């Protein structure tokens, strides 16, 4: 595009496009057998994922057309709306329950996973808070604690679904943003310690979480029971070798590995594309995180605290979620129901991640040429 305000960060654009493209191809490959068996439509999941990708791109263009000042103005209302939707999810007859978890709001032919929405809303809210209290967090513990009160309500509602994975990602992202926003190291360390104790308590009081942790530590102790999913994922990694068995040639997706096209898509990538493909995905996420943090740093140096914290938050959120998903697939972390951003099958996750990345591009545009970005983007 001729207008310099519309020239996006090329490295970020490349990493995002490559991850989205690889994700679409691998969702097609990983889901074709199960879709044919269950629905007699081999491309069912791919078609839906492609449609969600198109919707995500349309939503992204809408988001990138809105000035950051607008998002800052409605930040508290967005978080309150997110909390309200988390409450609605738990109401029988409104929320939809799948596999014992109430995480979705049915919206006609699609289901909205509210946890994905609350991640973005929490980042916008904290970014606004840090803008309004810039320079005050290092002198007051209450200034650090105050925004965690409302987010604590959201975290509790997520645990009631239950969705501990999303809760950990949100709270970890928020704590990192508070630290980058000026919270003292001793306060930050205290909050990390408190979160660690709460995490240990939540694992201890919930038998299924404790069982999941034990099976993660030694999945081969019960390879056909609690450790089945992880052992099958590890077999996929072993079969992949250096360059994989070839696109579409996975054995583990043939009803051996559950959720092969969703939470365990990375295992199929490792099997079909090998170590080379698996490392390529990691490298693309590294580029994405690097550019997100670089955009945040540039915005901070330009005095745009809200935009800087938006960029930091999105980079930390998606980077952390990618690390957790990849770690789960490799057996380095306990199994959690977190998708691989831009890649795993799931409409809510894909659309909301596209919207978040659009905000990241918007931060970059307003940092480089604030006047033109505000005036030209709508033309």
């Amino acid at each position: 595009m001729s207008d310099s305000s519309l020239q996006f960060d090329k490295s970020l654009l490349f990493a995002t496009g490559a991850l989205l493209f690889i994700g679409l191809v691998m969702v097609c490959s990983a889901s074709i057998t199960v879709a044919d068996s269950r629905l007699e439509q081999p491309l069912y999941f791919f078609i839906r994922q492609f449609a969600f990708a198109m919707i995500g791109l349309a939503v992204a263009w809408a988001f990138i057309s809105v000035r950051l000042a607008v998002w800052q103005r409605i930040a508290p209302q967005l978080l309150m709306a997110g909390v309200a939707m988390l409450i609605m999810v738990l109401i029988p007859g409104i929320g939809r329950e799948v596999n014992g978890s109430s995480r979705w709001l049915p919206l006609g032919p699609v289901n909205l996973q509210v946890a994905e929405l609350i991640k973005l809303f929490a980042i916008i809210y904290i970014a606004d808070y840090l803008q309004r209290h810039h320079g005050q967090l290092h002198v007051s513990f209450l200034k650090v604690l105050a925004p965690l009160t409302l987010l604590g309500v959201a975290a509790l509602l997520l645990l009631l679904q239950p969705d501990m994975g999303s809760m950990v990602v949100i709270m970890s992202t928020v704590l990192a943003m508070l630290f980058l926003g000026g919270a003292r190291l001793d306060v930050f360390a205290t909050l990390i310690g408190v979160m660690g104790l709460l995490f240990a308590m939540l694992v201890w009081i919930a038998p299924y979480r404790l069982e999941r942790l034990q099976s993660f530590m030694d999945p081969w102790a019960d390879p056909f029971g609690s450790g089945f999913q992880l052992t099958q994922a590890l077999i996929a990694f072993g079969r992949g070798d250096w360059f994989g068995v070839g696109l579409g040639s996975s054995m583990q997706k043939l009803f051996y590995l559950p959720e092969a096209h969703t939470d365990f898509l990375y295992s199929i990538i490792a099997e079909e594309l090998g170590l080379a493909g698996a490392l390529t995905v990691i490298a693309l996420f590294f580029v994405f995180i690097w550019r997100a943090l670089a955009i945040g740093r540039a915005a901070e140096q330009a005095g745009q605290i809200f935009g800087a914290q938006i960029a930091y938050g999105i980079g930390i959120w998606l980077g952390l979620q990618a690390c957790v998903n990849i770690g789960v697939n490799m057996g380095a972390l306990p199994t959690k129901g977190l998708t691989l951003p831009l890649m795993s099958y799931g409409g809510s996750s894909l659309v909301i991640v596209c919207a978040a990345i659009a905000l990241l591009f918007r931060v970059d545009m307003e940092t480089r040429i604030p006047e033109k970005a505000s005036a030209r983007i709508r033309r």
Side-chain angles (χ1 to χ4, degrees):
M1 299 182 182
S2 58
D3 194 318
S4 58
S5 68
L6 293 180
Q7 292 179 358
F8 303 132
D9 185 297
K10 293 181 176 61
S11 297
L12 180 62
L13 186 63
F14 172 77
T16 301
L19 288 169
L20 182 59
F21 175 75
I22 296 172
L24 286 171
V25 172
M26 293 310 302
V27 164
C28 181
S29 176
S31 66
I32 194 167
T33 303
V34 67
D36 185 41
S37 174
R38 295 179 184 175
L39 306 165
E40 297 183 351
Q41 299 179 42
L43 298 179
Y44 175 81
F45 293 110
F46 169 73
I47 292 172
R48 285 177 63 88
Q49 186 76 346
F50 183 81
F52 283 125
M54 295 301 102
I55 294 172
L57 293 177
V59 171
W61 184 253
F63 269 56
I64 209 172
S65 302
V66 178
R67 292 181 296 113
L68 292 177
V70 175
W71 297 110
Q72 184 176 359
R73 188 163 58 247
I74 62 173
Q77 290 84 353
L78 288 176
L79 185 61
M80 293 299 296
V83 171
M85 285 188 285
L86 287 175
I87 295 173
M88 293 172 62
V89 164
L90 299 174
I91 299 176
I94 298 180
R96 182 187 177 192
E97 183 175 327
V98 178
N99 296 328
S101 298
S102 297
R103 302 180 183 178
W104 293 267
L105 282 178
L107 300 175
V110 298
N111 295 301
L112 173 64
Q113 189 171 358
V114 181
E116 298 296 328
L117 200 59
I118 202 72
K119 293 172 186 175
L120 180 57
F121 288 173
I123 289 172
I124 295 174
Y125 172 77
I126 292 297
D128 169 55
Y129 182 85
L130 293 173
Q131 168 76 46
R132 289 185 287 108
H133 298 87
H134 181 58
Q136 301 178 25
L137 269 67
H138 70 283
V139 297
S140 173
F141 176 74
L142 291 179
K143 292 292 185 182
V144 178
L145 197 61
L148 297 178
T149 305
L150 185 56
L151 289 172
V153 175
L156 178 61
L157 292 170
L158 285 170
L159 287 174
L160 294 176
Q161 292 186 4
D163 190 356
M164 186 173 178
S166 293
M167 185 273 290
V168 170
V169 168
I170 291 172
M171 297 308 293
S172 298
T173 302
V174 166
L175 287 180
M177 291 176 67
L178 290 173
F179 178 68
L180 292 173
R184 295 200 315 266
L185 184 59
D186 57 338
V187 173
F188 179 71
T190 301
L191 291 173
I192 290 292
V194 171
M195 273 199 63
L197 290 174
L198 289 174
F199 177 80
M201 183 182 69
L202 290 171
V203 171
W204 183 259
I205 62 176
Y208 79 93
R209 292 193 184 112
L210 187 59
E211 180 184 355
R212 185 176 291 179
L213 181 62
Q214 291 170 338
S215 65
F216 142 76
M217 296 176 68
D218 186 12
W220 300 102
D222 187 15
F224 298 105
S226 59
F228 180 77
Q229 194 170 33
L230 181 52
T231 55
Q232 296 303 314
L234 294 175
I235 290 171
F237 275 90
R239 294 191 73 250
D241 205 15
W242 289 99
F243 299 105
V245 297
L247 185 63
S249 300
S250 167
M251 289 290 293
Q252 294 306 105
K253 69 183 181 184
L254 304 178
F255 310 106
Y256 291 103
L257 177 60
E259 309 298 335
H261 60 296
T262 55
D263 298 345
F264 280 81
L265 183 69
Y266 189 72
S267 297
I268 304 301
I269 293 174
E271 184 183 7
E272 295 193 349
L273 305 181
L275 179 64
L279 290 179
T280 297
V281 170
I282 292 176
L284 289 170
F285 274 113
F286 177 82
V287 171
F288 178 89
I289 297 167
W290 161 55
R291 292 313 305 159
L293 298 181
I295 289 171
R297 179 59 176 163
E300 188 174 17
Q301 291 176 333
Q304 299 186 21
I305 305 303
F306 177 74
Q309 291 298 330
I310 286 282
Y312 288 148
I314 291 171
I316 294 167
W317 159 34
L318 297 182
L320 177 61
Q321 186 162 319
C323 287
V324 170
N325 180 276
I326 291 172
V328 167
N329 277 253
M330 297 174 63
L333 293 172
T335 303
K336 301 304 301 176
L338 293 173
T339 59
L340 188 59
L342 290 170
M343 303 190 78
S344 294
Y345 175 79
S348 296
S349 174
L350 183 57
V351 172
I352 292 167
V353 167
C354 287
I357 295 173
L359 282 180
L360 190 55
F361 280 114
R362 181 74 201 193
V363 172
D364 179 46
M365 292 162 57
E366 291 199 15
T367 300
R368 288 187 289 107
I369 311 179
E371 296 83 4
K372 285 188 178 182
S374 298
R376 300 281 188 182
I377 187 66
R378 293 184 180 278
R379 294 187 180 180

